[in-house]
Amino acid sequence: MAVYLFSQDDIQRVFDCALLDVLPDMGLTSHDVAWPNVNFDPSPDRGYLRPFILPGTPQQATLGYPCFIRMSGIYQISIYRPKGEGLAAAREWKNILLSAFFTGRVLVDGDQQVIIDNAYSGSVQQEEDRMVIPISVSYYCYAPQQPD
């Protein structure tokens, strides 16, 4: 089984760090984010974010051994706002996130780069007590294969 020197877990960490940088612009802290596999009990009268990664299938990008693998996927940030408060605050958060994760931005971790291919928002979805706007950030990077 091939081992890569940069993994989807590393990519999620890079995106999570970039998200932490933008939280103050939204009036949020890390406690207002439902991080994966961390207990979270949202306040019914406060908005929050839920980020997660949807990895794509790695593809061999170069010939030879060791090779480079093109890793791609979507980093999704779901915006949750209380039901009945209107769309203004949710749109403000959406615009802040889209500005932070703009097309062409390069996120750097040491000598590894993750390139944002595109960022876009989905339509508003209504849940029982909240509304949700998904923000999808498509990305790619080239990860070197670890030699045996």
Side-chain angles (χ1 to χ4, degrees), residues 19 26 28 32 46-52 76-82 85-98 120-127 130-136:
L19 179 60
M26 303 171 75
L28 300 174
D32 298 309
R46 188 156 166 78
Y48 66 95
L49 305 176
R50 182 180 301 272
F52 55 94
Q76 184 160 323
I77 309 161
S78 295
I79 299 170
Y80 289 81
R81 298 294 305 194
E85 75 169 16
L87 291 175
R91 284 185 178 140
E92 181 181 348
W93 282 11
K94 174 186 79 169
N95 291 334
I96 290 169
L97 289 169
L98 290 174
Y120 52 94
S121 67
S123 60
V124 175
Q125 302 166 17
Q126 191 66 53
E127 293 188 353
R130 297 192 181 274
M131 57 161 284
V132 183
I133 299 178
I135 304 295
S136 298

Side-chain angles (χ1 to χ4, degrees), residues 70 102-105 115-119 137-140:
R70 185 179 195 274
F102 58 89
T103 300
R105 180 176 176 190
I115 299 111
I116 295 177
D117 202 21
N118 195 3
V137 181
S138 61
Y139 66 86
Y140 67 93

Side-chain angles (χ1 to χ4, degrees), residues 28-85:
L28 300 174
T29 70
S30 63
H31 298 291
D32 298 309
V33 179
W35 301 106
N37 201 31
V38 175
N39 291 335
F40 184 76
D41 187 20
S43 170
D45 61 343
R46 188 156 166 78
Y48 66 95
L49 305 176
R50 182 180 301 272
F52 55 94
I53 198 158
L54 301 164
T57 302
Q59 298 175 334
Q60 186 170 339
T62 60
L63 297 175
Y65 181 82
C67 66
F68 279 81
I69 300 298
R70 185 179 195 274
M71 302 177 93
S72 61
I74 296 173
Y75 182 73
Q76 184 160 323
I77 309 161
S78 295
I79 299 170
Y80 289 81
R81 298 294 305 194
K83 185 176 180 178
E85 75 169 16

Side-chain angles (χ1 to χ4, degrees), residues 104-120:
R105 180 176 176 190
V106 178
L107 304 174
V108 178
D109 180 43
D111 61 355
Q112 192 63 45
Q113 297 181 343
V114 178
I115 299 111
I116 295 177
D117 202 21
N118 195 3
Y120 52 94

